[in-house]
Amino acid sequence: DYPVVKSRDNIDYLTQNAKKEASKAGAIFMDYRCGVNDSHVIIYGHNMSKSKIMFAQMTNYANRSFYDANRTFEVTFGDKKYTYKVFSVYSVDVKKAEYMAVDENIPSGAAFVDYMNNTLAALSIFPVDTTVSENDHVLTLSTCTHTNYANGRFVVHAVRVS
């Protein structure tokens, strides 16, 4: 359980914790362009695999049995708790267009639906059984991984179900 913080950019919390103290682990932080109630919220965190903190456990979603057993998870924003269902997981090179789109372009409306269902869902290493609609809220979790790429990211997309 970590607090989700937000800054004026996506740099501050890479090297400081939620209390704004210097930290190699950084903090779990929301993309500065996102708001809690946006249709697409992006949250970043370091993959501290040796100490098993921050987003270190997130790459377990690459394992089918873990994926199947952990399709839903809860996130609390302020005083509201939301449940999300994972629909797409994959690793990608940070310089590839697919990741740049996650990081830089947050579409809305029909473009949001198309992007979620035909771009991001198509990247999933497991079959997708969820269709995102225009009124849905999608949470994207992103962390570093060097399993398949020198400068890779492991990404989990989940749709809010309650």
Side-chain angles (χ1 to χ4, degrees):
D1 291 332
Y2 297 101
V4 177
V5 294
K6 186 176 172 182
S7 181
R8 66 188 179 329
D9 59 36
N10 288 339
I11 306 297
D12 288 346
Y13 287 108
L14 290 173
T15 57
Q16 61 187 17
N17 63 25
K19 295 177 183 177
K20 298 192 176 187
E21 301 163 336
S23 169
K24 283 185 178 182
I28 304 297
F29 64 96
M30 184 183 300
D31 190 291
Y32 74 97
R33 296 161 289 199
C34 297
V36 172
N37 292 313
D38 288 356
S39 59
H40 187 198
V41 175
I42 304 168
I43 296 179
Y44 306 97
H46 285 304
N47 177 355
M48 305 301 287
S49 57
K50 289 183 183 174
S51 57
K52 300 199 182 313
I53 61 172
M54 298 302 174
F55 274 3
Q57 302 299 316
M58 198 173 93
T59 57
N60 288 335
Y61 275 104
N63 176 299
R64 183 62 192 243
S65 60
F66 182 89
Y67 175 84
D68 289 339
N70 296 279
R71 289 292 301 277
T72 61
F73 61 87
E74 293 179 335
V75 176
T76 302
F77 293 122
D79 61 350
K80 293 189 178 183
K81 187 180 287 190
Y82 299 101
T83 301
Y84 289 86
K85 179 183 178 191
V86 175
F87 69 89
S88 180
V89 299
Y90 56 91
S91 50
V92 65
D93 188 302
V94 75
K95 299 201 185 312
K96 296 271 186 177
E98 293 87 351
Y99 188 75
M100 297 299 279
V102 168
D103 192 41
E104 296 178 3
N105 302 312
I106 303 169
S108 60
F112 167 76
V113 171
D114 181 61
Y115 179 64
M116 292 297 155
N117 293 318
N118 298 317
T119 302
L120 299 184
L123 296 171
S124 185
I125 60 175
F126 302 121
V128 176
D129 62 0
T130 303
T131 302
V132 176
S133 70
E134 198 168 320
N135 295 322
D136 281 334
H137 295 270
V138 172
L139 180 64
T140 294
L141 307 176
S142 176
T143 194
C144 303
T145 184
H146 304 292
T147 303
N148 298 322
Y149 304 98
N151 198 8
R153 297 294 181 270
F154 190 82
V155 182
V156 172
H157 301 289
V159 64
R160 188 186 297 170
V161 293
S162 67

